[in-house]
Amino acid sequence: SQQGEEDPQALSIQEGENATMNCSYKTSINNLQWYRQNSGRGLVHLILIRSNEREKHSGRLRVTLDTSKKSSSLLITASRAADTASYFCATDGGYSTLTFGKGTMLLVSP
Amino acid sequence: IAGITQAPTSQILAAGRRMTLRCTQDMRHNAMYWYRQDLGLGLRLIHYSNTAGTTGKGEVPDGYSVSRANTDDFPLTLASAVPSQTSVYFCAKLSTGASGELFFGEGSRLTVL
């Protein structure tokens, strides 16, 4: 069963606005990762945050992790049309595997 | 560059037929994975292999088998395809080092009629 669950399922915004996606998970983790998937393509790794970290930045991406609430958020600032994609959180599922959520579909309109 | 190649890109298959999806990497990473992606269900792990000669079952292994005869190749076989195996299949490998990042192939879209 899915460990991570993203929210919202779909998000539609205008270029220049910020996009926030949330991920909740069920059991303790060592790290949490976010991936992006353009339509018809494979997933691409965006950022990893470890369980002892609370916030991490990478370019226009900001990820937070609250282990007490078992939740993470991905913020994309100043969004662009090219950010249109599906975004997935993934948690370590044991035996070097990753368990993915169902994803958030982000649409950024020009 | 992910360095992971899947074939075929797309395939239509009659139910009951045998099908092997190929996955090859070029950087000799140890751990490899097969996921299926279905609308509304996200990605689910089918099988994985942490090193050549070993494999393990994921969340949805029934109807699928894998082999890992060498480090570079990790084929996924459907012995007798059924319509519920219509899906997009992704092969992935685990990066070396501490990043824990997965590199994905571009996927194989399989339709079972």
Side-chain angles (χ1 to χ4, degrees), chain A residues 1-2 31 33 35 37 40-45 48 50 88 94-103, chain B residues 31 33 35 37 40-45 48 50 59 90 94 98-106 109:
Chain A
S1 61
Q2 253 86 15
N31 62 68
Q33 302 182 39
Y35 286 78
Q37 183 182 34
R41 306 296 300 274
L43 279 75
V44 175
H45 180 262
L48 177 149
R50 302 195 185 282
F88 296 85
Y95 300 102
S96 297
T97 66
L98 281 184
T99 301
F100 287 84
K102 297 178 182 179
Chain B
Y33 312 86
Y35 287 88
Q37 184 175 29
L41 296 177
L43 282 90
R44 294 179 292 168
L45 182 66
Y48 64 94
N50 285 331
E59 181 185 353
F90 288 98
L94 180 66
S99 71
E101 171 184 354
L102 289 190
F103 294 107
F104 281 82
E106 292 298 320
R109 181 176 295 276

Side-chain angles (χ1 to χ4, degrees), chain A residues 6-74:
Chain A
E6 291 89 345
D7 169 67
Q9 291 185 358
L11 180 61
S12 183
I13 60 174
Q14 299 290 316
E15 265 191 328
E17 296 180 338
N18 295 341
T20 299
M21 289 158 272
N22 303 297
C23 171
S24 59
Y25 57 92
K26 298 173 184 174
T27 61
S28 297
I29 59 172
N30 293 315
N31 62 68
L32 185 143
Q33 302 182 39
W34 285 91
Y35 286 78
R36 166 195 170 124
Q37 183 182 34
N38 287 3
S39 181
R41 306 296 300 274
L43 279 75
V44 175
H45 180 262
L46 292 175
I47 195 167
L48 177 149
I49 187 166
R50 302 195 185 282
S51 59
N52 62 352
E53 297 175 311
R54 291 297 168 257
E55 187 171 314
K56 202 164 184 179
H57 295 256
S58 177
R60 293 185 295 112
L61 305 181
R62 172 178 169 252
V63 170
T64 62
L65 180 64
D66 186 335
T67 53
S68 67
K69 295 181 180 178
K70 292 186 170 60
S71 67
S72 173
S73 67
L74 170 68

